[in-house]
């Protein structure tokens, strides 16, 4: 099995979309009453949080990729 890189933004987006689906399914089944306006900010906020998570993770990934392993970036250089 091929390994793939972990993408936390997709994880966050999936969690929020799954939560939206669970809320919608529970409302459709009659388990609870979810107002129609709840899902829009939930999904929109989740997608914004997923985008921010992806940007931060991408920045960390780029920073780690540029520095050699075992050394800190900027170590030993005078300021």
């Amino acid at each position: 099995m091929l390994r793939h890189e972990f993408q936390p933004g997709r994880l966050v987006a999936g969690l929020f979309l799954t939560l939206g689906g669970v809320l919608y399914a529970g409302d459709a089944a009659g388990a609870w009453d979810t107002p129609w306006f709840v899902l829009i900010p939930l999904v929109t906020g989740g997608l914004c949080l997923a985008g921010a998570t992806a940007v931060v993770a991408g920045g960390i990934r780029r920073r780690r990729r540029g520095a050699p392993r075992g050394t800190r970036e900027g170590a030993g250089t005078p300021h």
Side-chain angles (χ1 to χ4, degrees):
M1 177 185 224
L2 296 175
R3 294 189 65 162
H4 62 279
E5 64 181 334
F6 176 64
Q7 296 179 348
R10 287 187 177 189
L11 175 67
V12 172
L15 288 175
F16 275 90
L17 291 173
T18 301
L19 178 62
V22 167
L23 286 175
Y24 181 74
D27 187 28
W32 54 75
D33 185 32
T34 305
W36 65 270
F37 54 83
V38 170
L39 290 178
I40 295 171
L42 177 76
V43 171
T44 304
L47 290 176
C48 289
L49 185 61
T53 304
V55 167
V56 169
I60 291 171
R61 196 171 287 126
R62 272 189 294 277
R63 183 172 231 187
R64 283 189 180 175
R65 205 175 281 152
R69 287 189 164 229
T71 61
R72 291 188 320 213
E73 189 174 320
T77 58
H79 289 30

